[in-house]
């Protein structure tokens, strides 16, 4: 209980210190200041790339019919110490400080910033202290020196990105590594209850390693010049096609080799290893849904991949009976439309998806149907379970898992946790689907509230970090955040019977190897910054500009 109290205090201090840093950073600008004549139309908050054209989705909007819907894109190149204009109609670039577009003179300059902050390294120190205390507590519980390995990986990861990032503020990285301490605990949980501890320890090493590896791999991928033309197409066009092909291959293998588990067919076994191919489909669809900067939403080539592959993925989710996957795909699909096209189309698609979900979701599988009926109360409902219907002891009824989760989280766990008695010991998926109940039981409901605060902090950090990204990366970050947020809502809601159970795991918290690939990649996308140290120096030297935007 003393250890849990220490962890609570460290996490409270981390949240307060990080929130303060984010508040100090709220006016930091990394993009170009754009003026039409003497009027400032963008002050640098838009990100590293500034798009110009007739579409309202552009950063600088022109009404003149002579201006293309996507006319051009302007960026600063720190190596050349110059501002570069990319003509999106022909792919040609040239250096500039101003252009005449639609009869109007448009000028570009770097913003001025005051990057002085206090308490810069305090979040890092508190985050590292949280990881160290968690590792020490697990070592004390297991008396196994090898258990400290995954925690050491997390400590090194945070220190490395503090040095690598130009702002030296790896907020999103720290949030991920704090969450991964609970992932380690959840992965070791079966071994702590009489299972094969060494096997669980190997899984913890592999899972943490994959989370960190794919987060780094995502950063390296986004460091490429994805808008560079290779012939008549950009590098991103080729990646979209490759992602579409991989979705087809992976989904067909899934359907052909699937093992049925709880009415769903989203698990396959290869070479003795069981994993979920749908997790890889999730991240590949993000690539397909992002339209290149040079393309218009609605173009025949872009639309075929966007709508065709999305429809195929929805069908794939229906075939394998994965209701959680269907919901996540729907969320990122609608958000991709919202970001990249008109509101009218968004409304039509959103309504259509809602109708389809209501009509089809109950028939996904007998298990999904019974979960929904149980949640609605026409079967053995949670309310009946809590008032003596007996499902607390009857594992065949819907309420069995959820009632145990509620009792474990709030009755047994209390405010500071209870590790002396385990309500979830014999409950299926206690360390994955019901992981939040497990955390609340072991660490208390205070920790549950603090994890909610950590989620809010993650959203705010991503909203700030997109200012340090190019357009394509910004869209990927938004879709990744939506996928992570949706997974958390489905997992927590299902655990505590706010919504039916879907089998969706909690990113960076629930035990499992498959999810480490998709969510590790998503965290890497959200944390990526394209602001180099040279760029950082240049935007501090530039002449001061007005903050007023008209």
């Amino acid at each position: 209980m003393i250890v849990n109290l220490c962890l609570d205090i460290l996490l409270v201090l981390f949240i307060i210190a990080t929130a303060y840093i984010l508040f100090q950073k709220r006016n930091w600008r990394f993009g170009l200041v754009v003026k039409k004549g003497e009027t400032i139309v963008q002050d640098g908050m838009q990100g590293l790339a500034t798009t110009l054209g007739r579409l309202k989705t552009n950063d600088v909007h022109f009404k003149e019919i002579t201006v293309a819907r996507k006319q051009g894109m302007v960026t600063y190149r720190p190596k050349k110490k110059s501002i570069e204009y990319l003509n999106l109609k022909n792919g040609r670039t040239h250096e500039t400080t101003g252009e005449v577009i639609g009869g109007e003179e448009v000028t570009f300059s770097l913003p001025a910033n005051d990057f002085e902050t206090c308490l810069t390294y305090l979040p890092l120190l508190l985050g590292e202290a949280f990881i160290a205390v968690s590792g020490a507590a697990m070592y004390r519980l297991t008396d196994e020196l090898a258990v400290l390995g995954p925690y050491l990986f997390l400590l090194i990861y945070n220190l490395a990105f503090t040095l690598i990032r130009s702002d030296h503020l790896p907020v999103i990285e720290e949030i991920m590594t704090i969450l991964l301490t609970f992932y380690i605990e959840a992965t070791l949980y079966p071994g702590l209850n009489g299972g094969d501890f060494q096997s669980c320890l190997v899984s913890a090493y592999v899972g943490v390693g994959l989370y960190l590896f794919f987060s780094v791999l995502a950063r390296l991928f986004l460091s490429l010049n994805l808008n560079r033309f290779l012939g008549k197409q950009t590098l991103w066009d080729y990646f979209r096609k490759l992602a579409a092909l991989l979705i087809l291959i992976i989904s067909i293998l899934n359907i052909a080799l699937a093992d049925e588990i709880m009415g769903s067919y989203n698990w396959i076994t290869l070479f003795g290893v069981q994993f979920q191919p749908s997790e890889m489909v999730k991240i590949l669809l993000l690539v397909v849904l992002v339209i290149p900067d040079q393309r218009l939403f609605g173009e025949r080539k872009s639309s075929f991949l966007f709508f065709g592959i999305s429809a195929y993925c929805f069908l794939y989710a229906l075939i394998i009976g994965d209701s959680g996957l269907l919901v996540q795909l729907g969320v990122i699909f609608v958000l991709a439309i919202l970001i990249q096209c008109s509101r009218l189309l968004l409304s039509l698609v959103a309504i259509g998806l809602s109708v389809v979900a209501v009509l089809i979701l109950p028939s996904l599988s007998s298990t999904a149907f019974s979960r929904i009926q149980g949640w609605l109360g026409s079967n053995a409902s949670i309310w009946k379970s809590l008032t003596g219907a007996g499902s607390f002891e009857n594992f065949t009824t819907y309420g069995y898992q959820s009632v145990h989760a509620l009792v474990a989280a709030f009755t047994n766990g209390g405010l500071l946790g209870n590790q002396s008695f385990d309500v979830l010991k014999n409950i299926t998926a206690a360390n994955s689907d019901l992981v939040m109940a497990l955390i609340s039981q072991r660490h208390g409901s205070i920790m549950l509230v603090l994890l909610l605060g950590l989620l809010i902090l993650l959203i705010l950090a991503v909203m700030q970090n997109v200012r340090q990204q190019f357009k394509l990366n910004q869209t990927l970050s938004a879709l990744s955040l939506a996928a992570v947020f949706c997974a958390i809502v489905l997992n927590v809601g299902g655990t505590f019977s706010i919504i039916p159970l879907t089998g969706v795991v909690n990113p960076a918290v629930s035990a499992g190897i498959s999810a480490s690939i998709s969510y590790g990649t998503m965290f890497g996308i959200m944390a990526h910054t394209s602001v180099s140290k040279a760029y950082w120096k240049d935007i501090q030297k530039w002449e001061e500009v007005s903050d007023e935007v008209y």
Side-chain angles (χ1 to χ4, degrees), residues 98 134 403:
S134 298
V403 172

Side-chain angles (χ1 to χ4, degrees), residues 275-292:
F275 65 97
Q276 287 181 287
S278 58
E279 293 295 336
M280 287 178 279
V281 169
K282 212 180 296 180
I283 195 67
L284 290 169
L285 183 62
L286 292 187
V287 177
V288 173
L289 290 177
V290 178
I291 305 297

Side-chain angles (χ1 to χ4, degrees), residues 173-198:
E173 294 90 336
E174 289 165 5
I175 292 173
M176 182 185 76
T177 52
I178 288 173
L179 293 175
L180 283 174
T181 62
F182 297 104
Y183 171 86
I184 297 169
E185 187 174 344
T187 304
L188 295 176
Y189 174 72
L192 298 174
N193 282 287
D196 186 350
F197 181 80
Q198 293 303 318

Side-chain angles (χ1 to χ4, degrees), residues 17-210:
T18 306
Y20 178 70
I21 293 293
L22 293 179
F23 178 77
Q24 287 188 308
K25 289 176 59 183
R26 69 192 185 281
N27 293 323
W28 288 11
R29 298 169 296 175
F30 300 91
L32 293 170
V33 176
V34 185
K35 291 183 179 180
K36 280 186 179 181
E38 296 299 320
T39 304
I40 298 176
V41 291
Q42 286 292 347
D43 66 346
M45 291 287 192
Q46 72 274 18
L48 301 187
T50 303
T51 55
L52 307 95
R54 207 169 70 246
L55 287 177
K56 291 184 178 180
T57 52
N58 290 304
D59 297 311
V60 183
H61 174 234
F62 297 86
K63 295 182 180 180
E64 290 76 11
I65 193 67
T66 55
V67 179
R69 287 181 289 177
K70 281 192 173 183
Q71 180 78 19
M73 183 168 65
V74 191
T75 55
Y76 177 70
R77 299 299 179 188
K79 290 183 178 180
K80 297 180 179 179
K81 304 295 182 185
S82 65
I83 296 171
E84 184 178 272
Y85 179 81
L86 169 63
N87 189 319
L88 294 176
K89 295 188 294 183
N90 56 28
R92 295 177 182 174
T93 62
H94 62 267
E95 294 181 5
T96 185
T97 55
E99 297 285 327
V100 177
I101 302 176
E104 297 183 80
E105 184 181 4
V106 185
T107 57
F108 316 104
S109 62
L110 284 176
N113 291 279
D114 179 9
F115 288 132
E116 291 184 8
T117 60
C118 57
L119 307 177
T120 303
Y121 293 104
L122 186 56
L124 173 68
L125 295 175
L126 291 169
E128 298 288 71
F130 185 94
I131 295 169
V133 172
S134 298
M138 185 58 67
Y139 171 70
R140 182 181 178 185
L141 183 65
T142 62
D143 200 29
E144 288 273 354
L145 190 62
V147 82
L148 296 176
Y151 296 96
L152 184 60
F153 292 165
L154 302 182
L155 294 171
I156 294 172
Y157 179 86
N158 278 340
L159 288 173
F161 278 101
T162 300
L163 297 173
I164 292 171
R165 286 183 67 99
S166 57
D167 58 4
H168 304 300
L169 293 170
V171 175
I172 299 171
E173 294 90 336
E174 289 165 5
I175 292 173
M176 182 185 76
T177 52
I178 288 173
L179 293 175
L180 283 174
T181 62
F182 297 104
Y183 171 86
I184 297 169
E185 187 174 344
T187 304
L188 295 176
Y189 174 72
L192 298 174
N193 282 287
D196 186 350
F197 181 80
Q198 293 303 318
S199 176
C200 293
L201 184 58
V202 170
S203 296
Y205 271 89
V206 173
V208 169
L210 287 175

Side-chain angles (χ1 to χ4, degrees), residues 470-487:
F470 292 105
K471 292 297 176 188
L472 190 146
N473 304 8
Q474 290 176 334
T475 305
L476 281 171
S477 288
L479 298 183
S480 297
L481 179 61
V484 169
F485 182 78
C486 180

